[in-house]
Amino acid sequence: CPVSKGKKACYYRYSRKDIRIAIRRRYENSPEFRDKYRYRAGVEATMSEFDRRTGVKHLRVRGMKAVRFAAIMKAIGLNILRAGRRIQENRGHHGPPCGAIWAILFVFGYVKEQIKAVLQMIFAITVAPLATFENRPRCQF
């Protein structure tokens, strides 16, 4: 009980933090808060599956570009698995997930082309300056 007995009377002491917490708790019990907050469970479940299935929290790459690329690839893979699961549920039987296989092949082909283009661009950037540097006359000291 927050009421304490003193020598002359009973006292109720509170601080600004107590007021802030009381206002927050009243807001959390409102229908408006519950309407906003109900989506969090779905998002938390999705992120949990993303971590458990793909291991995205323990990537084997360094650098922001590599991490972003690895996380995107893992997200695409998870979406393909979920799409295959949804297709199987809609079919009503547990046969081979042909739709998921075609989706994986399509995404693999697209990603392969993107990686190939990036590697060609990187190769052109790294090789071109070296070729021009080698053709320069050398200084003698």
Side-chain angles (χ1 to χ4, degrees):
C1 181
V3 177
S4 59
K5 290 185 180 180
K7 289 182 180 178
K8 297 181 181 179
C10 293
Y11 297 99
Y12 177 68
R13 291 187 174 92
Y14 57 91
S15 64
R16 289 182 183 202
K17 181 180 177 183
D18 295 331
I19 294 171
R20 202 173 55 241
I21 289 172
I23 291 171
R24 176 66 183 183
R25 286 183 180 152
R26 190 178 325 134
Y27 173 67
E28 286 177 1
N29 288 329
S30 70
E32 176 188 344
F33 175 80
R34 290 185 182 195
D35 187 46
K36 280 184 183 178
Y37 201 74
R38 66 188 171 120
Y39 296 106
R40 181 173 177 160
V43 171
E44 291 292 335
T46 300
M47 292 307 294
S48 175
E49 182 184 13
F50 185 45
D51 178 40
R52 280 183 290 109
R53 285 193 179 260
T54 64
V56 76
K57 289 184 181 177
H58 304 285
L59 296 177
R60 296 180 178 183
V61 294
R62 292 185 183 207
M64 187 54 106
K65 285 184 179 181
V67 167
R68 183 180 301 128
F69 180 74
I72 288 172
M73 289 293 105
K74 287 177 181 269
I76 289 171
L78 180 63
N79 285 338
I80 290 170
L81 289 173
R82 292 174 110 186
R85 204 173 352 163
R86 175 67 103 186
I87 290 170
Q88 272 188 336
E89 289 172 2
N90 288 344
R91 283 189 190 156
H93 64 84
H94 298 287
C98 296
I101 291 171
W102 284 111
I104 290 169
L105 291 175
F106 173 76
V107 170
F108 178 74
Y110 178 76
V111 170
K112 183 186 79 156
E113 293 300 321
Q114 294 296 319
I115 292 171
K116 184 178 173 183
V118 169
L119 289 176
Q120 286 175 345
M121 184 176 67
I122 291 171
F123 185 70
I125 290 171
T126 57
V127 172
L130 292 176
T132 57
F133 182 73
E134 288 175 356
N135 294 335
R136 289 184 175 182
R138 297 185 180 221
C139 298
Q140 295 185 6
F141 292 100

